[in-house]
């Protein structure tokens, strides 16, 4: 965003072109949020990054926490003390945070508490394409799904209202196409909210089994109230007329509107904005009013399975079509073409020439656009580190790598990286490999990822004496997601200097006896440190420290305005 200060303007009615994520940031201001805690991850990162730039002026406390679980807990603590609190993460982040989220639903919250989950159909920047609406179902918390930036802002405000009405966490489920779409957003008032205080209630907040047993039915009762909210929610709305009924939600609604226009069919559309719990009565009546129903949703048949169950009770004669019968894919991102194709098959309709024009244009664009696979930047210290690893191990080591810019090292010509599953997994997987293979094993992790999820694995390696070298690529930034600071940078999200936590100190404190810090561009030193580490009889840690080139060039540019950024 050109000037995030725009978000601070208290001019209700003003319209601005915002990213979906920036609209969430504005929504947070309007909702009177006091505490924001996030861990970055695409496609959610701009929520935290935008708030970080204005938090001080907005009177919001904002932090990048060490991981999503911690972020959710910081926000939860603030909420339990009576403040409105927001956390945001990419969808896999919620896997990390889910342990706390699921039991937080039992205790409930005090100040409004919203967790934004930004899902990534098509894995544009993720290791899987999980559908996090299932977390709402699993945790028993309400879920709202915006279809554009304006709705993202509005729904965030509503999510806080619902959260306070039910004293429950609420999920705002975005997808890449909403987070990263720009749209006109109309501003509302910026609310100043009084913060409450922490009121002791151990039977509610201390989740020992006896208390959990009592809280579970309370949660189930709250979800009955949530169902009533869903029935009257203006986000669940019927548009258009006809005997063909489309049930859709979030971003898929946009594809439905365009696909119907493209194939020249009119339909009655039930657009769901609150997708958990579902408005069962509304859906029942909708099904009774159509001859045929089609559920259009990306990824999993989350709505479809529930709609089918509702149809079984309320409208047995209405056939429900969707992805379970193979009319729409269960993977990847939807498009107008995909939805038009599915609908035309269901309706036995020929798509016609206007569709071919659109399809041909897309194919043409794909042919013309050169492929642009991601690659490491020229001068990236990771390249030197990978080279040192390769030379020292003569390319014979099995490398358990991790998530960050350095994952790209798995590609030729570097080819350093044989396994990569999830953030922080490199250390545990390396340990497991050593128990079976006779080949040397190397673990590779980035600095932010080290702080995020590697430390228990490192303690485990020391405790169980797993023999491998754990290489920490410390480029002093969370580079991949936008160079956010982390505990090893000595800077906070709000730009304040703070205690710098040294990776080597942590490694030693975890019980690792061999710890070396090397500049990867001091190539001979780097190779000899790696060789020495591989000879060590227990787990060894080598920290390759060299700043990210992007950060370095920004710093230079800031120091010397004549250098172009
Ligand atoms: C659970 C989870 N949270 C967030 C992300 C998004 N993410 C991918 S890599 C990365 C951090 C990369 O930083 P670092 O480890 O320092 O490596 P660098 O990119 O700087 O080389 C993050 C936050 C993710 N993939 N999984």
């Amino acid at each position: 965003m050109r000037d995030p200060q725009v978000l601070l303007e208290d001019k209700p009615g003003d319209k601005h072109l915002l990213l979906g994520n920036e609209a969430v940031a504005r929504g947070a201001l309007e909702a009177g949020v006091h505490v924001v805690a996030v861990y970055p991850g695409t496609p959610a990162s701009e929520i935290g990054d935008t708030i970080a730039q204005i938090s001080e002026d907005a009177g919001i406390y904002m932090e990048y926490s060490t991981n999503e679980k911690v972020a959710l807990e910081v926000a939860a603590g603030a909420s339990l003390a009576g403040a409105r609190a927001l956390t945001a993460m990419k969808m896999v982040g919620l896997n990390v945070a889910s342990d706390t989220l699921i039991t937080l639903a039992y205790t409930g919250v005090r100040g409004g508490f919203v967790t934004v989950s930004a899902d990534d159909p098509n894995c544009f920047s993720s290791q899987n394409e999980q559908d996090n609406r299932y977390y709402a179902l699993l945790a028993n918390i309400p879920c709202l799904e915006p279809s554009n930036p304006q709705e993202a802002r509005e729904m965030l405000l509503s999510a806080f209202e619902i959260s306070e009405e039910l004293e429950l966490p609420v999920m705002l489920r975005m997808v890449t196409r909403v987070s990263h779409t720009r749209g006109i957003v109309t501003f509302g008032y910026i609310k100043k909210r009084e913060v409450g205080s922490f009121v002791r209630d151990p039977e509610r907040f201390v989740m020992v089994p006896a208390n959990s047993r009592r809280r579970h039915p309370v949660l189930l009762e709250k979800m009955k109230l949530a169902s009533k909210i869903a029935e009257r929610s203006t986000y669940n709305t019927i548009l258009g007329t006809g005997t063909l009924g489309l049930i859709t939600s979030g971003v898929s609604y946009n594809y439905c509107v365009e696909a119907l226009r493209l194939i020249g069919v009119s339909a009655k559309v039930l657009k769901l904005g609150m997708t958990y719990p579902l408005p069962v009565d509304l859906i029942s009546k909708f099904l009774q009013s159509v001859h045929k129903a089609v559920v259009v949703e990306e990824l999993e048949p989350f709505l479809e399975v529930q709609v089918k169950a509702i149809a079984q009770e309320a409208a047995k004669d209405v056939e429900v079509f969707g992805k379970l019968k193979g009319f729409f894919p269960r993977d990847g991102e939807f498009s107008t073409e995909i939805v038009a194709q599915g609908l035309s098959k269901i309706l036995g309709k020929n798509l016609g020439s206007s569709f071919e024009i659109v399809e041909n244009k897309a194919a043409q664009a794909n042919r013309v656009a050169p492929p642009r696979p991601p690659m490491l930047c020229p001068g990236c210290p990771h390249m030197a580190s990978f080279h040192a690893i390769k030379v020292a191990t003569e390319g014979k080591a099995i490398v358990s790598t991790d998530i960050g810019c350095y994952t790209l090292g798995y590609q030729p010509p570097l080819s350093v990286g044989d396994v990569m599953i999830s953030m922080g997994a490199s250390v545990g997987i390396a340990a497991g490999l050593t128990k079976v293979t006779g080949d040397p094993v190397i673990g590779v992790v980035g600095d932010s990822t080290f702080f995020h999820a590697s430390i228990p694995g490192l303690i485990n390696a020391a405790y169980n004496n797993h023999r491998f070298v754990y290489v920490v690529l410390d480029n002093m930034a969370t580079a991949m997601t936008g160079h956010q600071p982390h505990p090893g940078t000595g800077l906070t999200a709000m730009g304040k200097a703070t205690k710098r936590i040294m990776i080597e100190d942590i490694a030693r404190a975890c019980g690792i006896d061999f710890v070396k810090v090397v500049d990867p561009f001091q190539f001979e030193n780097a190779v000899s440190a790696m060789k020495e580490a591989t000879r060590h009889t227990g787990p060894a840690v080598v920290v390759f420290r060299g700043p990210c080139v992007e950060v370095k060039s920004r710093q230079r540019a800031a120091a010397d305005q004549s250098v172009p950024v």
Side-chain angles (χ1 to χ4, degrees), residues 231-485:
E231 294 291 355
R232 61 167 200 257
S233 170
T234 51
Y235 296 127
N236 296 330
T237 174
I238 295 171
L239 303 132
T241 53
T243 54
L244 169 68
L246 261 56
I247 300 177
T248 187
S249 69
V251 72
S252 300
Y253 166 73
N254 305 307
Y255 303 129
C256 286
V257 172
E258 288 180 16
L260 287 171
R261 191 162 40 85
L262 195 65
I263 61 176
V265 168
S266 60
K268 197 169 176 182
V269 180
L270 173 56
K271 175 179 186 278
L272 296 169
M274 184 161 174
T275 50
Y276 198 74
L278 284 178
V280 176
D281 288 348
L282 180 69
I283 293 173
S284 302
K285 286 189 191 117
F286 181 82
L287 289 171
Q288 286 156 6
S289 73
V290 295
H291 292 158
K292 200 180 254 186
V294 183
V295 182
V296 184
E297 61 187 321
E298 275 178 346
L299 297 179
E300 295 296 314
F302 178 81
L303 301 176
E304 189 178 341
V305 169
Q306 297 182 75
V307 166
K308 282 197 157 197
I310 296 169
Q312 193 59 25
E313 292 290 317
K316 274 204 177 68
D317 301 338
V318 179
E319 201 172 347
V320 178
F321 295 85
K323 57 187 72 200
L324 291 174
K325 288 184 178 154
F327 291 103
F328 300 103
R330 197 167 167 169
D331 61 331
E333 196 183 38
F334 273 11
S335 63
T336 302
E337 293 81 67
I338 287 174
V339 174
Q341 267 160 350
L343 286 177
S344 62
K345 267 191 229 150
I346 292 164
L347 302 174
K349 200 174 176 332
N350 198 331
L351 278 166
S353 57
S354 52
F355 179 79
E356 271 164 33
I357 294 169
V358 174
E359 212 182 24
N360 286 342
K361 275 190 183 158
Q364 231 176 352
N366 275 339
R367 269 198 307 277
V368 177
R372 289 188 303 165
M375 54 202 282
L376 291 169
C377 305
C380 171
H382 294 341
M383 283 205 254
S385 306
F386 287 136
H387 193 42
I389 293 171
K390 251 184 127 166
V391 170
T393 59
E394 295 168 10
K396 288 185 187 140
I398 301 177
V399 179
S400 168
T401 188
D402 223 299
I403 308 193
C405 291
Y406 54 93
T407 314
L408 300 171
Y410 94 96
Q411 301 176 116
L414 294 162
S415 306
V416 179
D418 299 301
V419 189
M420 188 284 273
I421 311 280
S422 69
M423 269 191 97
S426 55
V427 60
I429 288 175
L433 285 167
T434 63
K435 295 296 118 192
V436 183
T437 176
D439 294 329
V441 173
I442 307 284
V444 174
V445 73
D447 42 354
S448 188
T449 307
F450 177 86
F451 291 110
H452 176 280
S454 292
I455 296 166
L458 200 57
I459 295 171
N460 182 63
Y463 170 52
N464 290 302
N465 199 35
H466 294 303
R467 198 175 162 208
F468 63 94
V469 183
Y470 199 41
V471 178
V472 187
L473 303 178
D474 183 4
N475 59 0
M476 301 176 224
T478 315
M480 184 154 225
T481 49
H483 305 96
Q484 293 86 356

